[in-house]
């Protein structure tokens, strides 16, 4: 991790779960971390929980990644205040439990999922890549927290994945599109999709868990460890896709 010391990482969806775990892990490893989330008070709580030396390198900033202008303004602030970011962890994502594609009046819910899970990733990745290019930084790393549901739609009796699984399938395709675009730009910036199985976070649908009372769950820290593993790879190694399942998962 030596090459990342004091370099800037941005983590979206940083107020809880995987995002908060990534912030804690990266700042503990010597990076300057900007945590983005809608819940500003949670970011303050996260900063207050850190040791003083790490808290000094953590910056919480309110940002709804589904709002393009907020993303633009946030990355402009990062450039002006911290000199720009070199690592991006696209973690922000939402679920609308039980809202099926065929459910009447579901328009706002379906749009919200796509705006956050797909467009939010696109806005953030575009802005950090533009910054890397302007600063002639050739070794950035963009990571996207995907899902096993982005590779196969789980068939859970009496339950629908709604727009969540299609949004994550879009992320799988987006990862490859970004790899090609980075390559076409003659940069060594890496792109990685990390696809965990069920993780014990606020986003997990407790109603679905009723069907699987003994379902093993990953911890947020397990995914944060995977992020650190991916960014530590040598310059010639790119982990394109990393699927993580808890031992014993049956879905």
């Amino acid at each position: 991790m030596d090459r990342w010391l004091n370099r800037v990482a941005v983590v979206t969806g940083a107020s809880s779960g995987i995002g908060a775990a990534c912030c804690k892990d990266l700042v503990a490893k010597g990076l300057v971390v900007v945590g983005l989330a809608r819940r500003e008070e949670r970011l303050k709580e996260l900063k207050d929980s850190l040791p003083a030396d790490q808290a000094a390198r953590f910056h919480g900033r309110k940002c709804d990644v589904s709002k393009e202008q907020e993303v633009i303004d946030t990355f402009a602030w990062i450039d002006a205040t911290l000199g720009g970011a070199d690592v991006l962890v696209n973690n922000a994502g939402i679920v609308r439990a039980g809202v099926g594609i065929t459910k009447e009046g579901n328009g706002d819910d379906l749009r919200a999922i796509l705006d956050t899970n797909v467009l939010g990733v696109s806005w953030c990745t575009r802005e950090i890549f533009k910054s890397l290019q302007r600063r002639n930084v050739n070794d950035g790393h963009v990571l996207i927290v995907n899902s096993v549901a982005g590779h196969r739609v789980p068939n859970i009796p009496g339950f629908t994945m709604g727009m969540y699984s299609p949004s994550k399938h879009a992320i799988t395709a987006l990862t490859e599109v970004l790899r090609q675009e980075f390559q076409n730009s003659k940069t060594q910036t890496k792109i990685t999709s990390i696809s965990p199985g069920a993780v014990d976070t606020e986003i997990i649908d407790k109603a679905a868990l009723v069907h699987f009372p003994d379902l093993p769950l990953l911890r947020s820290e397990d995914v944060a460890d995977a992020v650190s593993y991916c960014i530590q790879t040598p310059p010639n190694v790119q982990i394109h896709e990393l699927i993580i399942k808890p031992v014993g998962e049956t879905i």
Side-chain angles (χ1 to χ4, degrees):
M1 293 292 283
D2 287 352
R3 71 188 182 95
W4 296 116
L5 287 177
N6 295 314
R7 295 177 72 177
V8 179
V10 177
V11 180
T12 71
S15 59
S16 65
I18 295 169
C22 287
C23 288
K24 292 177 181 177
D25 187 57
L26 293 174
V27 79
K29 288 181 166 68
L31 284 82
V32 175
V33 176
V34 180
L36 308 182
R38 292 175 296 178
R39 296 177 292 185
E40 200 169 16
E41 70 284 354
R42 288 283 194 94
L43 296 173
K44 185 179 183 305
E45 291 172 5
L46 175 55
K47 185 180 181 72
D48 291 343
S49 72
L50 298 171
D53 62 322
Q54 296 178 24
R57 286 185 280 104
F58 177 77
H59 305 267
R61 186 170 174 89
K62 184 177 182 181
C63 178
D64 182 345
V65 299
S66 71
K67 311 294 186 186
E68 183 181 7
Q69 192 58 52
E70 288 192 26
V71 172
I72 292 170
D73 293 344
T74 295
F75 278 86
W77 176 86
I78 293 169
D79 280 357
T81 307
L82 301 172
D86 299 331
V87 176
L88 169 63
V89 182
N90 282 298
N91 167 70
I94 62 171
V95 175
R96 290 289 186 263
V99 178
I101 304 297
T102 57
K103 183 177 181 180
E104 186 176 357
N106 62 2
D108 288 345
D109 289 316
L110 300 190
R111 272 188 289 271
I113 292 171
L114 292 173
D115 284 348
T116 299
N117 296 9
V118 182
L119 291 179
V121 171
S122 302
W123 308 145
C124 291
T125 302
R126 181 191 68 196
E127 293 306 304
I128 193 173
F129 190 70
K130 285 166 52 183
S131 174
L132 290 167
Q133 294 287 87
R134 280 195 304 269
R135 294 180 286 119
N136 294 315
V137 176
N138 200 39
D139 64 343
H141 201 142
V142 175
L143 305 102
I144 308 175
V145 178
N146 194 346
S147 170
V148 293
H151 302 275
R152 182 178 64 85
V153 181
N155 187 358
I156 304 174
F159 182 78
T160 176
M161 295 299 294
M163 189 57 78
Y164 180 76
S165 190
S167 76
K168 292 301 185 178
H169 273 75
I171 288 301
T172 301
L174 182 61
T175 301
E176 174 59 17
V177 169
L178 288 169
R179 187 192 67 81
Q180 294 178 17
E181 290 193 8
F182 291 178
Q183 187 176 46
N184 292 339
S185 297
K186 310 300 182 185
T187 177
Q188 298 300 306
T189 292
K190 300 179 184 181
I191 178 76
T192 299
S193 164
I194 296 177
S195 297
V199 185
D200 189 9
T201 67
E202 294 177 0
I203 196 174
I204 195 166
D205 183 11
K206 300 303 188 288
L209 287 181
V210 171
H211 299 280
F212 302 94
D214 299 318
L215 179 70
L217 299 174
L218 294 166
R219 302 171 305 131
S220 295
E221 291 78 9
D222 298 325
V223 183
D225 286 344
V227 169
S228 288
Y229 168 69
C230 290
I231 68 173
Q232 289 182 79
T233 51
N236 66 310
V237 176
Q238 175 171 265
I239 297 175
H240 184 76
E241 177 66 52
L242 181 61
I243 295 177
I244 312 169
K245 293 185 178 184
V247 173
E249 182 179 282
T250 57
I251 294 180

